[in-house]
Amino acid sequence: MEAWSEYSRFLIALFAILTPFAAIPIFLGMTEGRGAKERNSIALSAVMTVATVLVSSVFLGDAILTVLGTSLASFRVGGGIVLLLIALSLLNATVSGVKQTPQEADEAGTRQAIGVVPLGLPLLAGPGSISAVIIEAQRGVGWEHYAVLVGCILAVCAFLLLTLRLAVPIGNKLGQTGLNIMNRLTGLLLAAVAVEIIAAGLRALFPGWMT
């Protein structure tokens, strides 16, 4: 197992990537005109999709890297760049194109099962969160390591579900300005984590540069 500080950093990074507060206005927009019961059902579907995709990534990460024929160091650099792009979009209080394009947003309005697609995947469980999970899974071995990672994922998903269920009162209380402030704070945290991941990947790829 890794040091607990590494797991806490992963927990914070995953929270920042999933950005529950950024999901609130999008969730409210997609569920406009629906009743509270239906809105809660959509929230549960979205969070179950996120949990399933990310927990699967914990155990399938090695196979994914093998199929892609890439090293962990290269994946760290690529994944770190994706996270940095998401962080920059949060600092600008916008939805990253990495998560959802305008065309996908338009198509979402015609879908019935919006909890699974596009809210759960790829808007919440997108390339950034999947990359972060795979990278962290490769940093250790043993069932204790995987159990802690799954616990971190489920903890963030539980908070995400609570946030979506309380989206209406939270949105009314904070307003768009308050939500943007929260997004910028999480974006700043995510940017720092992304730079660290990219630096670790570069150190592994080019050890001579870091001497």
Side-chain angles (χ1 to χ4, degrees):
M1 288 182 62
E2 294 184 284
W4 284 106
S5 60
E6 294 296 328
Y7 293 116
S8 62
R9 187 174 67 175
F10 169 69
L11 182 65
I12 294 172
L14 193 60
F15 173 85
I17 297 166
L18 293 179
T19 54
F21 296 105
I24 289 178
I26 300 171
F27 177 76
L28 292 176
M30 288 184 176
T31 59
E32 186 177 3
R34 302 175 190 250
K37 184 176 181 180
E38 187 178 4
R39 188 181 290 116
N40 289 339
S41 177
I42 292 173
L44 180 60
S45 297
V47 173
M48 290 293 291
T49 301
V50 172
T52 301
V53 170
L54 297 187
V55 170
S56 299
S57 299
V58 171
F59 300 100
L60 299 177
D62 188 57
I64 292 173
L65 293 179
T66 301
V67 170
L68 293 177
T70 185
S71 65
L72 178 59
S74 299
F75 199 82
R76 280 179 176 173
V77 174
I81 292 174
V82 171
L83 297 185
L84 186 58
L85 291 175
I86 295 174
L88 293 176
S89 70
L90 288 174
L91 289 171
N92 290 319
T94 60
V95 178
S96 173
V98 172
K99 289 189 171 185
Q100 186 183 46
T101 64
Q103 292 78 13
E104 290 169 340
D106 292 336
E107 185 182 354
T110 64
R111 293 182 181 273
Q112 294 298 319
I114 60 173
V116 178
V117 177
L119 190 57
L121 183 72
L123 196 55
L124 291 173
S129 56
I130 294 172
S131 298
V133 169
I134 292 177
I135 291 170
E136 190 65 27
Q138 297 301 303
R139 292 171 63 92
V141 294
W143 68 267
E144 299 97 337
H145 173 67
Y146 295 121
V148 174
L149 294 187
V150 171
C152 290
I153 293 171
L154 295 181
V156 174
C157 285
F159 183 82
L160 179 61
L161 178 60
L162 178 64
T163 302
L164 294 181
R165 281 180 172 270
L166 298 176
V168 173
I170 291 175
N172 292 336
K173 186 71 174 179
L174 293 179
Q176 189 60 54
T177 300
L179 292 173
N180 287 345
I181 292 173
M182 296 299 297
N183 289 338
R184 289 187 173 101
L185 290 175
T186 55
L188 184 60
L189 290 173
L190 183 57
V193 173
V195 170
E196 182 63 30
I197 292 175
I198 294 173
L202 291 176
R203 281 196 296 268
L205 286 174
F206 309 104
W209 290 8
M210 305 299 175
T211 57

